[in-house]
Amino acid sequence: MNKRLQDNFGRAASDYANRAELQAQSSKELIHHLREITPTTILDLGCGSGGSTQQLATHFPDAKILGIDFSEAMIREAKISHPKLQFKQASIESFEPTDQPQLVYSNAALHWIPTFSQQILRFRQWLPRKGHLALSWMGPNTFHELRSEEHTSELQSRLHLVCRLLLE
């Protein structure tokens, strides 16, 4: 993963939970689709400051969940904000689980990885025969509406701030 990107996420870590509304909403919606499964071990890849890991823990209270993020500052923030949950600093590309997960979950993180399609094949190999992948990522038209229509200056400035923080 790009060092500059890692530094930018690190700088955003302390306030990320307050700014990551899109990520929180997409995580909530992705978890909603998992209502009929009951995994006992879950990996949350690209967990950021732990918001998605907390959502998973709320939905699956008996599961052993491990949040993974490449940013040391994000993991530090996750451990402070969610002290009862488990987190580990590692890149998605190099991480290897020690326990076999029944669910591999990743929300709004894979688009940062140039080889994400290869990573998805790796994730599938980690799972048991009836394991589950729950993945979401941004595509090239994710913000199409924002590019094509006029929106309030507040929304534009918030989007600009998030993009600037992450891409500087």
Side-chain angles (χ1 to χ4, degrees), residues 63-110:
K64 178 181 175 184
I65 305 170
L66 177 61
I68 303 294
D69 201 89
F70 78 119
S71 168
E72 186 178 331
M74 285 287 191
I75 292 298
R76 189 171 40 252
E77 187 66 29
K79 288 178 178 180
I80 292 167
S81 299
H82 311 284
K84 294 182 179 181
L85 301 177
Q86 298 295 309
F87 298 96
K88 181 177 181 176
Q89 191 269 326
S91 72
I92 291 173
E93 300 99 323
S94 64
F95 176 76
E96 290 294 331
T98 54
D99 296 325
Q100 185 177 47
Q102 293 179 341
L103 170 63
V104 174
Y105 177 93
S106 183
N107 175 62
L110 296 179

Short mmCIF file of all heavy atoms in Angstrom, two decimals, residues 63-110:
data_model
loop_
_atom_site.label_atom_id
_atom_site.label_comp_id
_atom_site.label_asym_id
_atom_site.label_seq_id
_atom_site.Cartn_x
_atom_site.Cartn_y
_atom_site.Cartn_z
N ALA A 63 -19.56 -13.81 18.24
CA ALA A 63 -18.46 -14.10 17.31
C ALA A 63 -17.13 -13.54 17.82
O ALA A 63 -17.09 -12.52 18.49
CB ALA A 63 -18.77 -13.52 15.94
N LYS A 64 -16.07 -14.23 17.47
CA LYS A 64 -14.72 -13.74 17.68
C LYS A 64 -14.37 -12.92 16.43
O LYS A 64 -14.35 -13.46 15.32
CB LYS A 64 -13.75 -14.91 17.84
CG LYS A 64 -12.31 -14.50 18.01
CD LYS A 64 -11.41 -15.72 18.14
CE LYS A 64 -9.96 -15.29 18.18
NZ LYS A 64 -9.07 -16.46 18.19
N ILE A 65 -14.13 -11.62 16.63
CA ILE A 65 -13.93 -10.72 15.50
C ILE A 65 -12.55 -10.07 15.62
O ILE A 65 -12.16 -9.61 16.69
CB ILE A 65 -15.02 -9.62 15.46
CG1 ILE A 65 -16.41 -10.27 15.44
CG2 ILE A 65 -14.81 -8.70 14.26
CD1 ILE A 65 -17.54 -9.30 15.63
N LEU A 66 -11.84 -10.01 14.49
CA LEU A 66 -10.55 -9.34 14.43
C LEU A 66 -10.60 -8.28 13.35
O LEU A 66 -10.87 -8.59 12.19
CB LEU A 66 -9.43 -10.35 14.12
CG LEU A 66 -8.02 -9.77 13.97
CD1 LEU A 66 -7.56 -9.09 15.27
CD2 LEU A 66 -7.04 -10.85 13.55
N GLY A 67 -10.36 -7.04 13.74
CA GLY A 67 -10.27 -5.92 12.79
C GLY A 67 -8.84 -5.72 12.35
O GLY A 67 -7.93 -5.69 13.18
N ILE A 68 -8.64 -5.58 11.04
CA ILE A 68 -7.31 -5.40 10.45
C ILE A 68 -7.28 -4.08 9.69
O ILE A 68 -8.20 -3.80 8.91
CB ILE A 68 -7.00 -6.55 9.44
CG1 ILE A 68 -7.09 -7.91 10.11
CG2 ILE A 68 -5.66 -6.34 8.74
CD1 ILE A 68 -6.05 -8.17 11.16
N ASP A 69 -6.24 -3.30 9.88
CA ASP A 69 -6.04 -2.10 9.07
C ASP A 69 -4.56 -1.85 8.90
O ASP A 69 -3.76 -2.18 9.78
CB ASP A 69 -6.71 -0.87 9.72
CG ASP A 69 -6.96 0.23 8.70
OD1 ASP A 69 -8.05 0.21 8.07
OD2 ASP A 69 -6.08 1.08 8.50
N PHE A 70 -4.19 -1.24 7.78
CA PHE A 70 -2.78 -0.99 7.49
C PHE A 70 -2.23 0.23 8.23
O PHE A 70 -1.03 0.39 8.36
CB PHE A 70 -2.56 -0.85 5.98
CG PHE A 70 -2.97 0.48 5.40
CD1 PHE A 70 -2.04 1.29 4.78
CD2 PHE A 70 -4.28 0.91 5.47
CE1 PHE A 70 -2.42 2.51 4.24
CE2 PHE A 70 -4.66 2.11 4.93
CZ PHE A 70 -3.73 2.92 4.30
N SER A 71 -3.11 1.07 8.74
CA SER A 71 -2.68 2.29 9.42
C SER A 71 -2.51 2.06 10.92
O SER A 71 -3.48 1.73 11.62
CB SER A 71 -3.70 3.41 9.19
OG SER A 71 -3.44 4.50 10.04
N GLU A 72 -1.32 2.25 11.39
CA GLU A 72 -1.05 2.11 12.82
C GLU A 72 -1.90 3.07 13.64
O GLU A 72 -2.44 2.72 14.69
CB GLU A 72 0.44 2.37 13.09
CG GLU A 72 0.87 2.13 14.49
CD GLU A 72 2.37 2.34 14.70
OE1 GLU A 72 3.14 2.13 13.74
OE2 GLU A 72 2.74 2.73 15.82
N ALA A 73 -2.07 4.30 13.14
CA ALA A 73 -2.87 5.30 13.86
C ALA A 73 -4.35 4.90 13.90
O ALA A 73 -5.02 5.11 14.92
CB ALA A 73 -2.71 6.67 13.20
N MET A 74 -4.86 4.32 12.82
CA MET A 74 -6.26 3.86 12.82
C MET A 74 -6.45 2.74 13.84
O MET A 74 -7.44 2.72 14.58
CB MET A 74 -6.67 3.37 11.43
CG MET A 74 -6.92 4.47 10.43
SD MET A 74 -8.44 5.35 10.78
CE MET A 74 -8.57 6.32 9.28
N ILE A 75 -5.51 1.81 13.89
CA ILE A 75 -5.61 0.71 14.85
C ILE A 75 -5.51 1.25 16.28
O ILE A 75 -6.26 0.82 17.16
CB ILE A 75 -4.54 -0.37 14.57
CG1 ILE A 75 -4.86 -1.08 13.25
CG2 ILE A 75 -4.42 -1.36 15.72
CD1 ILE A 75 -6.19 -1.83 13.22
N ARG A 76 -4.63 2.19 16.50
CA ARG A 76 -4.52 2.79 17.83
C ARG A 76 -5.86 3.44 18.23
O ARG A 76 -6.36 3.25 19.33
CB ARG A 76 -3.38 3.82 17.84
CG ARG A 76 -3.03 4.36 19.19
CD ARG A 76 -1.75 5.21 19.20
NE ARG A 76 -1.58 6.09 18.07
CZ ARG A 76 -0.68 5.91 17.07
NH1 ARG A 76 0.12 4.87 17.09
NH2 ARG A 76 -0.59 6.77 16.09
N GLU A 77 -6.47 4.18 17.31
CA GLU A 77 -7.76 4.82 17.55
C GLU A 77 -8.85 3.76 17.79
O GLU A 77 -9.70 3.92 18.66
CB GLU A 77 -8.14 5.71 16.37
CG GLU A 77 -9.37 6.55 16.60
CD GLU A 77 -9.21 7.60 17.68
OE1 GLU A 77 -8.10 8.09 17.92
OE2 GLU A 77 -10.25 7.92 18.31
N ALA A 78 -8.82 2.69 17.00
CA ALA A 78 -9.81 1.61 17.17
C ALA A 78 -9.71 0.99 18.56
O ALA A 78 -10.73 0.73 19.21
CB ALA A 78 -9.60 0.54 16.09
N LYS A 79 -8.49 0.75 19.03
CA LYS A 79 -8.30 0.14 20.35
C LYS A 79 -8.78 1.07 21.47
O LYS A 79 -9.31 0.60 22.47
CB LYS A 79 -6.83 -0.23 20.54
CG LYS A 79 -6.40 -1.42 19.72
CD LYS A 79 -4.93 -1.72 19.91
CE LYS A 79 -4.51 -2.95 19.12
NZ LYS A 79 -3.07 -3.25 19.31
N ILE A 80 -8.62 2.37 21.29
CA ILE A 80 -9.08 3.34 22.28
C ILE A 80 -10.61 3.42 22.26
O ILE A 80 -11.26 3.39 23.31
CB ILE A 80 -8.46 4.73 22.02
CG1 ILE A 80 -6.95 4.70 22.30
CG2 ILE A 80 -9.15 5.81 22.85
CD1 ILE A 80 -6.21 5.92 21.79
N SER A 81 -11.18 3.51 21.06
CA SER A 81 -12.63 3.68 20.92
C SER A 81 -13.42 2.41 21.22
O SER A 81 -14.58 2.49 21.62
CB SER A 81 -12.96 4.14 19.50
OG SER A 81 -12.35 5.37 19.23
N HIS A 82 -12.80 1.25 20.98
CA HIS A 82 -13.50 -0.03 21.14
C HIS A 82 -12.61 -1.01 21.91
O HIS A 82 -12.14 -2.01 21.36
CB HIS A 82 -13.86 -0.60 19.76
CG HIS A 82 -14.53 0.39 18.86
ND1 HIS A 82 -15.85 0.77 19.02
CD2 HIS A 82 -14.05 1.12 17.82
CE1 HIS A 82 -16.15 1.67 18.10
NE2 HIS A 82 -15.09 1.90 17.37
N PRO A 83 -12.36 -0.75 23.20
CA PRO A 83 -11.38 -1.53 23.95
C PRO A 83 -11.73 -3.00 24.15
O PRO A 83 -10.83 -3.80 24.42
CB PRO A 83 -11.30 -0.80 25.30
CG PRO A 83 -12.58 -0.05 25.41
CD PRO A 83 -12.98 0.31 24.00
N LYS A 84 -12.97 -3.37 23.98
CA LYS A 84 -13.35 -4.78 24.16
C LYS A 84 -13.17 -5.61 22.89
O LYS A 84 -13.31 -6.83 22.92
CB LYS A 84 -14.79 -4.88 24.64
CG LYS A 84 -14.98 -4.30 26.03
CD LYS A 84 -16.39 -4.46 26.51
CE LYS A 84 -16.49 -3.88 27.93
NZ LYS A 84 -17.82 -4.02 28.48
N LEU A 85 -12.83 -4.95 21.78
CA LEU A 85 -12.67 -5.64 20.50
C LEU A 85 -11.19 -5.85 20.20
O LEU A 85 -10.33 -5.19 20.78
CB LEU A 85 -13.35 -4.85 19.39
CG LEU A 85 -14.85 -4.61 19.57
CD1 LEU A 85 -15.40 -3.75 18.44
CD2 LEU A 85 -15.59 -5.92 19.68
N GLN A 86 -10.91 -6.76 19.28
CA GLN A 86 -9.54 -7.10 18.92
C GLN A 86 -9.17 -6.47 17.57
O GLN A 86 -9.94 -6.56 16.61
CB GLN A 86 -9.38 -8.62 18.80
CG GLN A 86 -9.66 -9.35 20.10
CD GLN A 86 -8.63 -8.99 21.17
OE1 GLN A 86 -7.44 -9.05 20.93
NE2 GLN A 86 -9.11 -8.60 22.34
N PHE A 87 -7.97 -5.88 17.52
CA PHE A 87 -7.48 -5.23 16.31
C PHE A 87 -6.01 -5.57 16.10
O PHE A 87 -5.28 -5.80 17.06
CB PHE A 87 -7.63 -3.70 16.42
CG PHE A 87 -9.05 -3.26 16.55
CD1 PHE A 87 -9.60 -3.01 17.81
CD2 PHE A 87 -9.86 -3.11 15.44
CE1 PHE A 87 -10.92 -2.61 17.95
CE2 PHE A 87 -11.18 -2.72 15.57
CZ PHE A 87 -11.71 -2.46 16.83
N LYS A 88 -5.61 -5.55 14.83
CA LYS A 88 -4.22 -5.80 14.48
C LYS A 88 -3.84 -4.92 13.30
O LYS A 88 -4.59 -4.80 12.34
CB LYS A 88 -4.03 -7.28 14.12
CG LYS A 88 -2.61 -7.62 13.75
CD LYS A 88 -2.45 -9.10 13.46
CE LYS A 88 -0.99 -9.38 13.13
NZ LYS A 88 -0.75 -10.81 12.94
N GLN A 89 -2.65 -4.34 13.38
CA GLN A 89 -2.13 -3.53 12.29
C GLN A 89 -1.45 -4.45 11.28
O GLN A 89 -0.52 -5.18 11.62
CB GLN A 89 -1.16 -2.47 12.82
CG GLN A 89 -0.77 -1.41 11.81
CD GLN A 89 0.47 -1.75 11.03
OE1 GLN A 89 1.39 -2.37 11.54
NE2 GLN A 89 0.50 -1.34 9.79
N ALA A 90 -1.97 -4.46 10.05
CA ALA A 90 -1.39 -5.26 8.97
C ALA A 90 -2.02 -4.80 7.66
O ALA A 90 -3.15 -4.32 7.65
CB ALA A 90 -1.67 -6.75 9.18
N SER A 91 -1.29 -4.97 6.58
CA SER A 91 -1.87 -4.66 5.27
C SER A 91 -2.73 -5.83 4.83
O SER A 91 -2.44 -6.99 5.15
CB SER A 91 -0.77 -4.38 4.24
OG SER A 91 -0.11 -5.58 3.90
N ILE A 92 -3.77 -5.53 4.11
CA ILE A 92 -4.64 -6.58 3.60
C ILE A 92 -3.85 -7.52 2.71
O ILE A 92 -4.04 -8.73 2.76
CB ILE A 92 -5.85 -5.97 2.85
CG1 ILE A 92 -6.78 -5.26 3.84
CG2 ILE A 92 -6.61 -7.04 2.06
CD1 ILE A 92 -7.91 -4.48 3.19
N GLU A 93 -2.95 -6.97 1.91
CA GLU A 93 -2.18 -7.78 0.96
C GLU A 93 -1.27 -8.81 1.62
O GLU A 93 -1.03 -9.87 1.06
CB GLU A 93 -1.31 -6.90 0.05
CG GLU A 93 -2.06 -5.92 -0.79
CD GLU A 93 -2.06 -4.53 -0.19
OE1 GLU A 93 -2.13 -4.39 1.04
OE2 GLU A 93 -1.99 -3.58 -0.97
N SER A 94 -0.76 -8.50 2.81
CA SER A 94 0.19 -9.42 3.44
C SER A 94 -0.38 -10.20 4.62
O SER A 94 0.24 -11.14 5.11
CB SER A 94 1.44 -8.65 3.91
OG SER A 94 1.09 -7.72 4.91
N PHE A 95 -1.56 -9.83 5.08
CA PHE A 95 -2.15 -10.48 6.25
C PHE A 95 -2.49 -11.94 5.95
O PHE A 95 -3.02 -12.26 4.89
CB PHE A 95 -3.41 -9.74 6.69
CG PHE A 95 -4.12 -10.41 7.83
CD1 PHE A 95 -3.61 -10.31 9.11
CD2 PHE A 95 -5.25 -11.16 7.63
CE1 PHE A 95 -4.25 -10.94 10.18
CE2 PHE A 95 -5.91 -11.80 8.67
CZ PHE A 95 -5.39 -11.68 9.95
N GLU A 96 -2.20 -12.80 6.91
CA GLU A 96 -2.61 -14.21 6.87
C GLU A 96 -3.26 -14.54 8.21
O GLU A 96 -2.65 -14.35 9.26
CB GLU A 96 -1.41 -15.13 6.65
CG GLU A 96 -0.79 -15.04 5.27
CD GLU A 96 -1.70 -15.53 4.16
OE1 GLU A 96 -2.55 -16.41 4.42
OE2 GLU A 96 -1.59 -15.02 3.03
N PRO A 97 -4.49 -15.01 8.20
CA PRO A 97 -5.18 -15.30 9.46
C PRO A 97 -4.58 -16.52 10.18
O PRO A 97 -4.11 -17.45 9.53
CB PRO A 97 -6.62 -15.59 9.03
CG PRO A 97 -6.52 -16.01 7.61
CD PRO A 97 -5.31 -15.31 7.04
N THR A 98 -4.60 -16.47 11.50
CA THR A 98 -4.15 -17.63 12.28
C THR A 98 -5.31 -18.57 12.55
O THR A 98 -5.12 -19.77 12.70
CB THR A 98 -3.51 -17.19 13.62
OG1 THR A 98 -4.43 -16.36 14.31
CG2 THR A 98 -2.22 -16.43 13.37
N ASP A 99 -6.53 -18.03 12.64
CA ASP A 99 -7.74 -18.83 12.80
C ASP A 99 -8.54 -18.76 11.50
O ASP A 99 -8.60 -17.71 10.86
CB ASP A 99 -8.62 -18.29 13.93
CG ASP A 99 -7.96 -18.38 15.28
OD1 ASP A 99 -7.22 -19.36 15.51
OD2 ASP A 99 -8.17 -17.47 16.11
N GLN A 100 -9.18 -19.86 11.13
CA GLN A 100 -9.98 -19.85 9.91
C GLN A 100 -11.26 -19.05 10.14
O GLN A 100 -12.07 -19.39 10.99
CB GLN A 100 -10.33 -21.28 9.48
CG GLN A 100 -11.06 -21.33 8.16
CD GLN A 100 -11.32 -22.75 7.71
OE1 GLN A 100 -11.78 -23.58 8.49
NE2 GLN A 100 -11.02 -23.02 6.46
N PRO A 101 -11.45 -17.98 9.36
CA PRO A 101 -12.68 -17.19 9.53
C PRO A 101 -13.86 -17.87 8.84
O PRO A 101 -13.69 -18.54 7.82
CB PRO A 101 -12.34 -15.88 8.82
CG PRO A 101 -11.35 -16.26 7.77
CD PRO A 101 -10.55 -17.40 8.36
N GLN A 102 -15.03 -17.68 9.41
CA GLN A 102 -16.25 -18.13 8.75
C GLN A 102 -16.85 -17.02 7.91
O GLN A 102 -17.67 -17.26 7.03
CB GLN A 102 -17.26 -18.62 9.78
CG GLN A 102 -16.81 -19.88 10.47
CD GLN A 102 -17.81 -20.35 11.50
OE1 GLN A 102 -18.67 -19.60 11.96
NE2 GLN A 102 -17.71 -21.62 11.86
N LEU A 103 -16.43 -15.78 8.21
CA LEU A 103 -16.85 -14.62 7.44
C LEU A 103 -15.64 -13.71 7.23
O LEU A 103 -14.98 -13.33 8.19
CB LEU A 103 -17.96 -13.84 8.17
CG LEU A 103 -18.34 -12.47 7.61
CD1 LEU A 103 -18.91 -12.58 6.20
CD2 LEU A 103 -19.34 -11.76 8.54
N VAL A 104 -15.37 -13.38 5.98
CA VAL A 104 -14.38 -12.35 5.64
C VAL A 104 -15.19 -11.15 5.17
O VAL A 104 -15.94 -11.23 4.19
CB VAL A 104 -13.39 -12.81 4.55
CG1 VAL A 104 -12.49 -11.66 4.14
CG2 VAL A 104 -12.56 -13.99 5.06
N TYR A 105 -15.03 -10.06 5.89
CA TYR A 105 -15.82 -8.84 5.69
C TYR A 105 -14.87 -7.70 5.35
O TYR A 105 -13.82 -7.55 5.99
CB TYR A 105 -16.57 -8.54 6.99
CG TYR A 105 -17.38 -7.28 6.97
CD1 TYR A 105 -18.71 -7.30 6.62
CD2 TYR A 105 -16.81 -6.06 7.34
CE1 TYR A 105 -19.48 -6.14 6.63
CE2 TYR A 105 -17.56 -4.90 7.34
CZ TYR A 105 -18.88 -4.94 6.98
OH TYR A 105 -19.63 -3.79 6.98
N SER A 106 -15.23 -6.92 4.35
CA SER A 106 -14.45 -5.72 4.04
C SER A 106 -15.39 -4.70 3.43
O SER A 106 -16.04 -4.96 2.42
CB SER A 106 -13.30 -6.03 3.08
OG SER A 106 -12.54 -4.86 2.85
N ASN A 107 -15.44 -3.53 4.04
CA ASN A 107 -16.33 -2.46 3.59
C ASN A 107 -15.51 -1.23 3.24
O ASN A 107 -14.77 -0.72 4.08
CB ASN A 107 -17.35 -2.12 4.68
CG ASN A 107 -18.20 -0.94 4.30
OD1 ASN A 107 -18.93 -0.99 3.32
ND2 ASN A 107 -18.09 0.14 5.04
N ALA A 108 -15.63 -0.77 2.02
CA ALA A 108 -15.02 0.49 1.57
C ALA A 108 -13.51 0.53 1.78
O ALA A 108 -12.96 1.54 2.18
CB ALA A 108 -15.69 1.68 2.26
N ALA A 109 -12.85 -0.60 1.50
CA ALA A 109 -11.38 -0.63 1.64
C ALA A 109 -10.68 -1.20 0.41
O ALA A 109 -9.57 -0.78 0.08
CB ALA A 109 -11.00 -1.44 2.87
N LEU A 110 -11.29 -2.15 -0.25
CA LEU A 110 -10.59 -2.88 -1.32
C LEU A 110 -10.23 -2.01 -2.51
O LEU A 110 -9.27 -2.31 -3.23
CB LEU A 110 -11.42 -4.08 -1.78
CG LEU A 110 -11.62 -5.16 -0.72
CD1 LEU A 110 -12.48 -6.28 -1.28
CD2 LEU A 110 -10.30 -5.69 -0.21
#
